[in-house]
Amino acid sequence: KLLLASVLVKPFLSPYDTLIIDVGTNDGVLAQDKILVDGNTFIGYISEVYDNTSKVVLYSSPGEKVKVLIGNNNIEKEALGIGSGNFKVEMPREGDIKEGDSIVIPSISTNIFGVVEKIEFKESNSFQNILFKNPVNISEIKWVEVLLSKNK
């Protein structure tokens, strides 16, 4: 069940990579409920819930980790949030990944979570860093949907 919520406070006015939304425990929201934009792009989860508001931590928050599937071969890795909607994935250089490959969060639907924008590596290192960003401009979000984990 999805619950529509208005974004009251967003990054640059809230602590780094967090949102405040206008739904809370009175609406059936629980900590760890997932947050989507446009009904198909996961951007974060509820970290704190109050009566009528909730705090959302974005997956791109520095240090946040989220499982992702990369490219046509659905290589499963863990993406690390590095702030402002940006992510980094470290993986062996042998991985068959190229710029433009899609990145999704494992689920029944294959909603785009990001697109590989840059691949960084040093010749002396056997690992590469895959850099990507969420397709949603966080500073322009007015509405989000809360994927309620429990019906009220």
Side-chain angles (χ1 to χ4, degrees), residues 10 12 15 17 24 33 38 49 62 64 71-72 95 107 109 129 131-132 135 151:
K10 49 189 149 190
F12 306 117
D17 276 16
D33 284 351
D38 298 330
V49 187
E64 286 293 317
N72 294 332
S107 70
S109 60
N129 286 323
L131 302 174
F132 70 97
N151 290 334

Side-chain angles (χ1 to χ4, degrees), residues 2 4 36-43 111 135-136 141 143-145:
L2 290 176
L4 186 64
L36 297 101
V37 173
D38 298 330
N40 62 4
T41 303
F42 289 98
I43 61 166
N111 301 323
V136 175
I141 296 174
W143 304 94
V144 296
E145 294 102 18

Side-chain angles (χ1 to χ4, degrees), residues 91-139:
M91 62 184 298
R93 282 182 47 192
E94 301 84 45
D96 186 24
I97 303 296
K98 59 189 178 308
E99 290 181 14
D101 279 353
S102 61
I103 299 171
V104 299
I105 290 182
S107 70
I108 292 175
S109 60
T110 55
N111 301 323
I112 298 295
F113 183 62
V115 174
V116 175
E117 291 193 353
K118 186 174 183 181
I119 300 173
E120 295 179 336
F121 64 90
K122 294 180 182 171
E123 292 298 328
S124 60
N125 195 338
S126 61
F127 285 89
Q128 61 187 351
N129 286 323
I130 310 299
L131 302 174
F132 70 97
K133 70 164 78 171
N134 201 279
V136 175
N137 185 338
I138 303 301
S139 63

Side-chain angles (χ1 to χ4, degrees), residues 2-68:
L2 290 176
L3 175 66
L4 186 64
S6 176
V7 176
L8 301 174
V9 182
K10 49 189 149 190
F12 306 117
L13 295 175
S14 66
Y16 205 52
D17 276 16
T18 61
L19 305 172
I20 304 297
I21 59 175
D22 71 344
V23 294
T25 54
N26 291 343
D27 305 291
V29 175
L30 298 172
Q32 303 304 313
D33 284 351
K34 307 292 185 233
I35 303 298
L36 297 101
V37 173
D38 298 330
N40 62 4
T41 303
F42 289 98
I43 61 166
Y45 63 92
I46 301 288
S47 65
E48 298 174 29
V49 187
Y50 305 98
D51 289 343
N52 298 304
T53 59
S54 298
K55 179 179 176 183
V56 176
V57 172
L58 302 177
Y59 290 131
S60 62
S61 293
E64 286 293 317
K65 295 178 182 177
V66 61
K67 288 191 191 290
V68 296

Side-chain angles (χ1 to χ4, degrees), residues 76-90:
E76 186 172 344
K77 288 292 174 183
E78 194 169 67
L80 177 68
I82 55 176
S84 299
N86 296 294
F87 299 86
K88 176 173 77 171
V89 175
E90 184 179 85

